[in-house]
Amino acid sequence: MAVDSILSSPLGPPACEKDAKALQFIEEMTRNADTVQERVLAEILSRNAETEWLKRFKLGGATDRETFKSKIPVITYEDVQPEIQRIANGDRSPILSAHPISEFLTSSGTSGGERKLMPTIKEELDRRQLLYSLLMPVMNLYVPGLDKGKGLYFLFVKSETKTPSGLLARPVLTSYYKSDHFKTRPYDPYMVYTSPNEAILCPDSFQSMYTQMLCGLIERNQVLRLGAVFASGLLRAIRFLQLHWAELAHDVQTGTLNSKITNLALKDHMKNVMKPDPELASFMTQECSKENWEGIIIRIWPNTKYLDVIVTGAMAQYIPTLNYYSGGLPMACTMYASSECYFGLNLNPMCTPSEVSYTIMPNMAYFEFLPHASTTNSVVFTRDSSPRLVDLADLEVGKEYELVITTYAGLYRYRVGDILRVTGFHNSAPQFQFVRRKNVLLSIDSDKTDESELQSAVENASKLLAQFNTSVVEYTSYADTKTIPGHYVIYWELLTKDSSNSLSHDVLNQCCLEMEESLNSVYRQCRVADHSIGPLEIRVVKGGTFEELMDYAISRGASINQYKVPRCVNFTPIMELLDSRVVSVHFSQDLPHWTPERRR
């Protein structure tokens, strides 16, 4: 029953009193965005006044914006990495934060090939939990009746490691799922999952996926929404069902659990779930044995109202495939977050993916913005070469900015690397479209490969060609997401100076692996541990192909003097041209080296 008579909200009539309070909170925060931002900055600066970082820049205990902006520099990870490393090595003095650093959250971006370490403090979990608590009250405005069923969410923990001082270093969602905030969360009829905690917390990705899928199938008629963090994760679950439906159907038929499930906590839980259900097993066999898997999601889970996945940024490449498997279900992108900070939420979650805008919640951190000239792909600087930053309330609709944050956990004027476009305002809080990660060339899952990393990988792999008097003349790449999991495709044009000493297929396969060995640790983890990226592929093209590519670009108006080979392509005519010139195809035959341990 709607309770708009109890506490109404401009966003719409809330579903219950709890929702009404959440919606009222959103209204209060966004109506007074600039005031909230001033308060947040003052809180961060006053509590951290005695930290080494703020004292270094002689802030002198000031908490006002003007002094802060005039004295504290805008930084990147490399600027603060020495201090982070000191904390990781055991220095417990107040370097960045007056509160003890409780753990490090590992970013999907890399520095020196390794995941970045983002410091965090215990109270940040409360702040993140607050943002989570706002998601369903907003969703309930658009999709009624979500308390009458369950969500099938494929959620996983990833590997974690310890720094030399013993502090944990792990992804932000792994930290959240392992926290009491998640494990002992109070019952909420709008937030019931088919996946048990034991499955989500199981570190073995096969056992976790298998039991989450099994529970989702057993409760198929209860499922009202399907989700994963990223679109790629939901597609990986569908691919898993394609590969393992016969085993799953056998378990459902007999009421027994696959012998590959050895995790004791998981086995104990599943004892209470498994019961023979020949009718369901027969239905699964009937649907999954068909060659055509179009609309498989609504065939298996007929009451599903929407998919809850991130399909903005690099994940937009998965939208056509998700549409195919889901029969065109709406895709809800509910929130915008990173390892450094949780930022905001989508107040219109049922909009089309191309229209997704996130509203920054001004209580999460102090936000500033670097104007970004999209045509030159550069930041706007003033005459003295200091970047001119804009406050949250002063942004202009239609312009692009790079996000800069100051957090309670001790990051000050830190460049996140996300490029955002302002689409409008909710009250006085700006709304953004996520445009892209700065400098990211290739991305399949949580990996981010930039141009310099790709160049280095090509150079390392091409050394294997030297003994055959062969070299790489030109190359380009793209992220192939038509396969599940997706994989990197690299086009090589080769020059062979001695035709009598020809390259073997095996050598080019080895080049694929050598490229993977050269890519960053996030890519290699996705390949080895998460299985969310498939083997890298090299497609060798005919000589002269890249000249044809240049001719094509010039015919479309490119300047011959300024033309550069694009290191990543996604324009269909260009890819068709490249594919029509392929003479051989090669794949990495082994997994690259990866362990959870960080390089020292």
Side-chain angles (χ1 to χ4, degrees):
M1 173 181 169
V3 291
D4 47 317
S5 57
I6 301 172
L7 278 173
S8 189
S9 163
L11 288 167
C16 59
E17 187 172 356
K18 184 180 173 188
D19 281 12
K21 290 176 180 175
L23 298 177
Q24 189 180 51
F25 177 77
I26 293 170
E27 286 301 300
E28 287 171 2
M29 289 294 106
T30 57
R31 262 199 306 265
N32 305 295
D34 198 50
T35 304
V36 173
Q37 281 281 277
E38 276 193 309
R39 174 178 58 76
V40 166
L41 180 62
E43 282 178 5
I44 292 171
L45 297 181
S46 61
R47 68 153 63 174
N48 294 326
E50 296 302 310
T51 58
E52 182 183 310
W53 188 268
L54 293 182
K55 287 170 106 176
R56 179 183 305 172
F57 297 105
K58 299 179 171 53
L59 200 61
T63 62
D64 62 288
R65 279 175 171 166
E66 291 69 26
T67 309
F68 172 72
K69 286 172 180 268
S70 68
K71 291 183 178 288
I72 305 300
V74 177
I75 61 167
T76 64
Y77 183 77
E78 284 65 34
D79 296 317
V80 76
Q81 190 171 19
E83 284 71 26
I84 287 173
Q85 198 56 54
R86 282 171 54 201
I87 298 167
N89 289 341
D91 192 330
R92 291 289 179 264
S93 57
I95 299 170
L96 298 173
S97 168
H99 288 222
I101 301 302
S102 56
E103 63 180 317
F104 288 103
L105 303 176
T106 53
S107 167
S108 56
T110 61
S111 176
E114 293 291 325
R115 286 181 182 268
K116 296 174 183 175
L117 295 177
M118 296 300 164
T120 192
I121 56 180
K122 279 185 176 174
E123 74 172 51
E124 278 300 301
L125 268 170
D126 297 328
R127 208 166 275 110
R128 293 197 288 270
Q129 182 62 42
L130 173 61
L131 193 62
Y132 281 126
S133 74
L134 303 177
L135 302 182
M136 286 309 290
V138 172
M139 185 57 73
N140 290 338
L141 296 173
Y142 295 88
V143 186
L146 291 174
D147 56 334
K148 304 297 189 291
K150 299 185 178 184
L152 169 49
Y153 282 79
F154 296 97
L155 308 175
F156 303 91
V157 295
K158 296 195 175 184
S159 60
E160 56 189 42
T161 186
K162 286 189 175 179
T163 65
S165 66
L167 285 175
L168 282 170
R170 54 191 179 180
V172 62
L173 288 174
T174 298
S175 169
Y176 175 63
Y177 298 148
K178 289 191 169 186
S179 72
D180 287 339
H181 286 71
F182 181 79
K183 289 192 289 188
T184 60
R185 60 195 183 278
Y187 173 78
D188 180 342
Y190 291 97
M191 292 289 285
V192 181
Y193 301 144
T194 58
S195 296
N197 284 1
E198 291 83 355
I200 295 168
L201 295 171
C202 176
D204 183 284
S205 60
F206 174 87
Q207 294 185 58
S208 178
M209 177 74 88
Y210 191 94
T211 47
Q212 289 190 63
M213 182 64 77
L214 189 56
C215 291
L217 289 164
I218 290 168
E219 297 195 86
R220 59 182 283 269
N221 290 314
Q222 290 287 305
V223 172
L224 301 182
R225 52 202 168 103
L226 254 79
V229 178
F230 294 119
S232 56
L234 186 52
L235 287 174
R236 202 159 67 249
I238 299 303
R239 179 61 178 160
F240 187 91
L241 181 60
Q242 280 185 309
L243 294 173
H244 299 284
W245 66 262
E247 295 166 82
L248 290 157
H250 174 269
D251 290 6
V252 170
Q253 172 83 28
T254 60
T256 60
L257 187 61
N258 193 311
S259 61
K260 293 176 188 170
I261 309 304
T262 57
N263 180 281
L264 294 178
L266 205 42
K267 285 172 72 175
D268 283 347
H269 176 85
M270 294 304 291
K271 277 180 194 169
N272 302 318
V273 173
M274 301 302 297
K275 294 178 180 62
D277 190 341
E279 187 180 342
L280 175 57
S282 174
F283 169 80
M284 288 168 56
T285 302
Q286 176 188 323
E287 290 298 329
C288 296
S289 60
K290 293 176 182 173
E291 274 191 41
N292 183 5
W293 272 51
E294 186 172 2
I296 191 69
I297 288 175
I298 52 174
R299 280 155 46 191
I300 299 284
W301 296 281
N303 299 316
T304 307
K305 298 186 178 188
Y306 66 93
L307 306 179
D308 190 346
V309 284
I310 293 172
V311 286
T312 51
M315 291 296 125
Q317 61 195 332
Y318 296 104
I319 292 171
T321 314
L322 278 176
N323 275 327
Y324 173 82
Y325 285 122
S326 74
L329 282 172
M331 299 173 203
C333 297
T334 55
M335 68 183 292
Y336 171 38
S338 76
S339 305
E340 296 92 334
C341 177
Y342 278 28
F343 305 120
L345 65 165
N346 182 0
L347 296 180
N348 183 19
M350 297 303 279
C351 66
T352 60
S354 62
E355 295 174 348
V356 169
S357 286
Y358 299 104
T359 302
I360 294 270
M361 290 297 290
N363 58 309
M364 299 305 291
Y366 182 66
F367 300 104
E368 297 175 274
F369 299 84
L370 278 169
H372 193 268
S374 55
T375 51
T376 58
N377 202 33
S378 62
V379 167
V380 177
F381 289 88
T382 54
R383 283 183 187 174
D384 63 358
S385 294
S386 300
R388 188 182 73 248
L389 271 64
V390 182
D391 285 322
L392 187 73
D394 299 330
L395 299 176
E396 295 181 50
V397 173
K399 292 196 173 178
E400 290 186 4
Y401 300 88
E402 182 183 349
L403 182 59
V404 177
I405 58 171
T406 296
T407 69
Y408 286 90
L411 293 175
Y412 304 94
R413 309 197 89 188
Y414 177 86
R415 293 173 66 170
V416 175
D418 288 0
I419 307 300
L420 309 174
R421 182 183 299 115
V422 183
T423 57
F425 284 80
H426 180 75
N427 296 323
S428 63
Q431 298 179 304
F432 300 94
Q433 272 189 339
F434 179 89
V435 179
R436 65 186 175 279
R437 280 287 297 176
K438 194 177 172 197
N439 301 327
V440 171
L441 203 65
L442 292 167
S443 179
I444 294 287
D445 189 55
S446 58
D447 56 302
K448 296 176 176 69
T449 298
D450 64 25
E451 189 168 333
S452 64
E453 284 178 314
L454 183 63
Q455 173 74 29
S456 177
V458 169
E459 287 173 358
N460 289 341
S462 63
K463 290 173 185 174
L464 300 176
L465 309 178
Q467 61 182 306
F468 300 95
N469 284 325
T470 299
S471 59
V472 178
V473 176
E474 274 298 358
Y475 70 92
T476 190
S477 64
Y478 87 98
D480 184 353
T481 56
K482 290 187 175 67
T483 59
I484 302 174
H487 69 290
Y488 288 8
V489 175
I490 318 296
Y491 294 95
W492 273 10
E493 184 177 323
L494 302 177
L495 176 64
T496 302
K497 294 174 183 171
D498 181 3
S499 56
S500 64
N501 188 17
S502 60
L503 277 171
S504 69
H505 193 76
D506 288 344
V507 170
L508 285 161
N509 286 347
Q510 189 61 35
C511 287
C512 296
L513 180 61
E514 187 60 35
M515 282 197 69
E516 293 196 306
E517 293 284 9
S518 302
L519 294 172
N520 62 60
S521 66
V522 183
Y523 173 91
R524 286 180 282 116
Q525 179 178 344
C526 288
R527 276 280 283 126
V528 176
D530 304 338
H531 309 295
S532 58
I533 299 180
L536 182 141
E537 176 184 2
I538 289 176
R539 297 179 188 172
V540 178
V541 297
K542 291 177 184 175
T545 296
F546 280 85
E547 279 190 39
E548 291 184 63
L549 196 61
M550 181 178 73
D551 291 342
Y552 177 79
I554 291 167
S555 75
R556 289 177 53 84
S559 164
I560 192 167
N561 295 319
Q562 295 178 306
Y563 175 78
K564 290 193 301 184
V565 173
R567 292 308 179 205
C568 182
V569 295
N570 54 21
F571 185 49
T572 301
I574 289 177
M575 292 165 70
E576 287 175 348
L577 187 156
L578 289 165
D579 283 332
S580 71
R581 304 296 189 271
V582 171
V583 294
S584 62
V585 173
H586 312 272
F587 287 92
S588 186
Q589 301 297 306
D590 294 299
L591 291 169
H593 176 74
W594 178 82
T595 65
E597 303 305 317
R598 293 177 63 82
R599 294 174 186 154
R600 294 287 181 262

